[in-house]
Amino acid sequence: MRSWVPWLLVLCAGCDVFELHPYEVRGGVRDTNARAVERLERNVSGGAFRFVVLGDIGVYQDDTVDAVRDIARRDVDFVVQMGDLTEFSSAQEYHWVADLLGESAVPTLAVIGNHDLLGQGKELFLHHFGPTFLSFEHGGSRFILFDSNSREYGFPGNVPDLEQLRSALGEVPGGGHLFTFSHVPPGHADFDASLTEPIEQLQAERGVSISFHGHSHRFSTDARRGVRYFCTDALEIHSYLVVTVEGDSVNVEQVSF
């Protein structure tokens, strides 16, 4: 081999000329969720506000671009994407979706989905989006994002982490609402069956207004122990949820794009 070839390979790798490994963790937009929260903190809501709940992305990238463009035309404060940002957890997928959501006109956060945990997926999520558990406040209400992909961890009995959730579900200053977000809904075969009743009881005891989820790819809603549960459509269906919070009232509307 010519003596200059190894140096050329190093140079190309450093310049992102090619991807050395499909799950390599480097480069791209970082800490998208934290950046979205920072943007929200600069635009504090003093009254009614609205947010979007966006479904699974996976292979539906063109539909996702259409959804992001449609949301930009609406009067909403922020977006929460419900996981399965990727199909295969590849670095290329993560780079693409982190760029799209991180640069969107509306602050956008995401939870981690089961497809986002393949290979080095969790490391890529941590790199591009940050911790899989996040709590923040906006408009006098609290929003909690967490990992509920029990099957991907082999049903260890602590996914989701109910103690961490219990700690975050404290009293909201000003008496606002509590909203929770995770990919797999309680009661689904991919959710730890031993934790379904405890999490439903916990959310009821703490007065959660709505628990949002994805994973099933089809819209559904029901009430359990006085808590409303919503699953969003995957983006191939061309719909998402718009949530309007005004005082004690919380209205959820399914809109098409």
Side-chain angles (χ1 to χ4, degrees):
M1 179 183 288
R2 295 180 182 273
S3 60
W4 50 266
V5 171
W7 295 105
L8 178 61
L9 293 175
V10 171
L11 178 62
C12 289
C15 296
D16 290 333
V17 172
F18 58 82
E19 188 175 336
L20 294 179
H21 190 280
Y23 298 109
E24 186 174 13
V25 182
R26 64 179 171 91
V29 176
R30 299 195 61 176
D31 300 319
T32 298
N33 284 352
R35 292 170 58 211
V37 172
E38 289 175 0
R39 290 173 64 185
L40 273 175
E41 289 174 346
R42 295 195 294 266
N43 297 282
V44 177
S45 174
F49 65 93
R50 303 167 80 205
F51 63 92
V52 164
V53 179
L54 195 64
D56 297 28
I57 293 174
V59 297
Y60 315 121
Q61 293 188 350
D62 290 342
D63 301 313
T64 304
V65 172
D66 292 341
V68 169
R69 289 174 177 168
D70 189 75
I71 291 167
R73 294 192 288 266
R74 297 183 183 271
D75 181 21
V76 298
D77 291 55
F78 63 96
V79 178
V80 180
Q81 194 279 333
M82 297 310 305
D84 279 3
L85 295 149
T86 69
E87 185 69 12
F88 305 107
S89 291
S90 70
Q92 185 177 15
E93 289 176 293
Y94 263 110
H95 278 242
W96 179 86
V97 74
D99 283 343
L100 179 69
L101 300 186
E103 296 174 3
S104 64
V106 180
T108 302
L109 305 97
V111 302
I112 192 167
N114 59 306
H115 281 265
D116 306 323
L117 286 163
L118 301 175
Q120 295 293 107
K122 186 169 185 178
E123 288 75 11
L124 284 160
F125 185 93
L126 294 173
H127 178 81
H128 289 292
F129 290 91
T132 58
F133 190 97
L134 174 66
S135 176
F136 68 94
E137 294 181 10
H138 180 75
S141 291
R142 181 172 299 150
F143 303 82
I144 302 167
L145 286 60
F146 62 94
D147 184 351
S148 64
N149 302 289
S150 310
R151 182 179 295 278
E152 304 309 307
Y153 298 93
F155 300 109
N158 62 353
V159 178
D161 187 335
L162 297 195
E163 290 310 309
Q164 194 173 32
L165 182 59
R166 187 186 308 277
S167 178
L169 286 174
E171 184 176 348
V172 181
H177 297 274
L178 288 168
F179 299 100
T180 59
F181 306 81
S182 71
H183 184 64
V184 180
H188 192 282
D190 295 329
F191 189 98
D192 192 331
S194 70
L195 298 179
T196 295
E197 183 176 350
I199 194 173
E200 290 178 358
Q201 183 63 34
L202 172 60
Q203 296 204 125
E205 290 174 353
R206 294 304 173 93
V208 170
S209 293
I210 303 180
S211 184
F212 291 102
H213 308 276
H215 191 58
S216 63
H217 285 214
R218 292 296 182 271
F219 172 83
S220 66
T221 182
D222 65 345
R224 310 175 201 174
R225 305 171 190 255
V227 178
R228 288 190 287 170
Y229 287 76
F230 281 86
C231 288
T232 62
D233 281 328
L235 290 182
E236 64 170 333
I237 308 299
H238 276 232
S239 81
Y240 54 78
L241 304 179
V242 176
V243 185
T244 302
V245 181
E246 188 169 9
D248 293 334
S249 172
V250 180
N251 180 65
V252 181
E253 178 187 6
Q254 187 179 22
V255 302
S256 300
F257 63 93

